[in-house]
Amino acid sequence: MSLEEMEDLQLDEKDLRLETKEVNGVLMTKLISDTWDKIWNFQAKPDDLLIVTYAKAGTTWTQEIVDMIQNDGDIQKCQRANTYDRQPFLEWILPPPLTSGLDLANKMPSPRTMKSHLPVNMIPPSFWKKNSKIIYVARNAKDILVSYYYFSRMNKMVPDPGTWEEYIEAFQAGKVLWGSWYDHVKEWWEAKDQHPILYLFYEDMKEDPKREIRKILKFMEKDISEEVLNKIVYYTSFDVMKHNSMANYTTFPKSIMDHSISPFMRKGMPGDWKRHFTVAQNEEFDKHYQKKMAGSTLTFRTEI
Ligand code: A3P
């Protein structure tokens, strides 16, 4: 059964919010946790491309850019299916009869492009063995927090975020799905020098999408004309993608993702956190941030 076919089912929010269970101390859904052996033993191939992010860092945006590159800017081809069917979400396990990302990935013909939110030490080891390429996108903590909060309210499959104040605490403690943002971005930053990993920043992509898409092209060893490059910049801009039903998650049943609570394509701008943090919350967050990020060479811009 596809997610779209679930539209007819009368589902209660209580039944949808997936239970959670840790894997190696990192909060995951219980379904991921119970399927962990299969995920860990996933067989990567040398020509796989994996897009990895901490949740809400611009995954869908990067997925669309990559798909447009792979299809030489052909919009019709990129409209062939929803983002999550074009590029399976590797560790995302759904209750039967729904199709899980892992099953889609296993069935997919090569070359495959997939998405993951896993921390670096939880990536299936075959990706390192096969030297598969990985694009990692990082985004500043404050905008992630705001985006993740709204997403957790509108997406009934992830844990209820509670109040804004409660959510700030949960985020700082890493008690949210996929664990600590701080560990995620730092550990991937360390890993990038040992593997074929392109480490990008959401803020850079927003500042100069053409420059960042060129980095992706080089990493993918692809060459396209200036005309196609301009086309990709246009069709992957926030305002255009917001209306692309194959990329904006509006085909999900409303019982799962309720865009009237908050659209998936919400603001798409660095610095929106300023409208949400009080002065006191911001000061406390900065203090905690300094401690968590001490010793790392990784720096972020919280506005552009
Ligand atoms: P906001 O909630 O801050 O608006 P992910 O795909 O990793 O779940 O990330 C979702 C975030 O990326 C949302 O952030 C969404 O609006 C933003 N986003 C999606 N497409 C974008 C685009 N083309 N340009 C800029 N931001 C985009």
Side-chain angles (χ1 to χ4, degrees):
M1 188 194 278
S2 72
L3 278 168
E4 289 80 358
E5 285 163 347
M6 279 184 74
E7 191 82 83
D8 299 335
L9 303 177
Q10 294 296 312
L11 295 165
D12 193 311
E13 178 172 343
K14 283 202 298 298
D15 303 329
L16 284 168
R17 295 267 177 200
L18 295 174
E19 271 183 76
T20 57
K21 191 174 160 189
E22 290 187 354
V23 181
N24 306 335
V26 176
L27 198 71
M28 296 281 164
T29 65
K30 185 170 182 300
L31 286 166
I32 295 179
S33 193
D34 292 348
T35 318
W36 185 247
D37 277 356
K38 274 195 194 155
I39 299 169
W40 183 247
N41 287 307
F42 177 77
Q43 289 307 303
K45 297 175 187 169
D47 58 357
D48 283 342
L49 176 63
L50 188 63
I51 298 168
V52 186
T53 57
Y54 187 82
K56 311 319 290 173
T59 331
T60 317
W61 185 12
T62 312
Q63 287 179 273
E64 197 63 23
I65 292 172
V66 166
D67 198 39
M68 282 207 80
I69 291 174
Q70 287 165 335
N71 288 290
D72 292 310
D74 187 325
I75 306 141
Q76 260 73 45
K77 281 192 190 157
C78 295
Q79 288 280 320
R80 69 195 178 282
N82 279 297
T83 309
Y84 50 87
D85 283 324
R86 285 181 274 153
Q87 300 168 342
F89 186 0
L90 189 61
E91 70 270 21
W92 195 240
I93 307 296
L94 290 167
L98 296 172
T99 315
S100 291
L102 185 66
D103 292 334
L104 278 178
N106 278 322
K107 280 189 210 133
M108 192 173 218
S110 288
R112 305 178 292 186
T113 301
M114 295 161 281
K115 150 191 170 180
S116 172
H117 289 320
L118 292 171
V120 76
N121 59 5
M122 289 172 72
I123 287 288
S126 61
F127 279 98
W128 311 125
K129 248 181 259 149
K130 302 287 173 174
N131 227 25
S132 320
K133 286 186 180 177
I134 299 179
I135 299 176
Y136 186 85
V137 185
R139 184 182 191 187
N140 82 77
K142 291 177 190 174
D143 281 327
I144 290 264
L145 209 169
V146 172
S147 184
Y148 211 172
Y149 172 68
Y150 281 100
F151 179 71
S152 304
R153 289 180 59 191
M154 68 83 76
N155 180 359
K156 304 296 162 52
M157 285 199 284
V158 305
D160 188 321
T163 64
W164 167 242
E165 290 75 17
E166 285 166 348
Y167 197 67
I168 297 180
E169 269 182 44
F171 181 88
Q172 289 179 312
K175 295 291 169 212
V176 291
L177 285 188
W178 293 286
S180 161
W181 172 89
Y182 308 89
D183 293 344
H184 209 281
V185 293
K186 281 191 293 185
E187 288 166 8
W188 274 101
W189 182 247
E190 295 300 322
K192 76 176 190 328
D193 303 324
Q194 282 121 51
H195 299 283
I197 297 171
L198 176 68
Y199 199 108
L200 299 172
F201 293 91
Y202 178 96
E203 294 76 19
D204 293 349
M205 287 167 63
K206 197 75 200 182
E207 179 181 66
D208 190 344
K210 204 182 228 184
R211 179 189 64 206
E212 300 307 303
I213 294 172
R214 281 207 176 100
K215 287 186 194 166
I216 298 176
L217 281 164
K218 187 166 175 240
F219 183 69
M220 290 171 67
E221 297 168 81
K222 281 280 274 179
D223 215 2
I224 54 169
S225 67
E226 188 68 17
E227 190 193 338
V228 172
L229 178 57
N230 287 334
K231 203 170 160 190
I232 295 177
V233 170
Y234 174 76
Y235 281 100
T236 60
S237 66
F238 181 78
D239 291 338
V240 175
M241 264 185 71
K242 193 176 166 69
H243 302 289
N244 177 354
S245 62
M246 288 296 114
N248 65 12
Y249 284 89
T250 53
T251 56
F252 260 58
K254 194 176 178 207
S255 52
I256 298 183
M257 280 198 187
D258 189 344
H259 294 258
S260 69
I261 295 176
S262 176
F264 180 88
M265 298 282 176
R266 200 182 54 86
K267 286 276 183 267
M269 262 315 280
D272 184 49
W273 62 270
K274 286 189 209 155
R275 298 193 312 117
H276 294 85
F277 283 73
T278 64
V279 173
Q281 281 168 349
N282 190 38
E283 280 173 7
E284 193 280 323
F285 192 88
D286 283 346
K287 233 188 261 164
H288 178 262
Y289 186 94
Q290 301 308 334
K291 275 192 227 144
K292 296 293 280 186
M293 299 301 278
S296 176
T297 54
L298 177 60
T299 55
F300 283 89
R301 290 189 288 169
T302 53
E303 56 192 308
I304 55 167

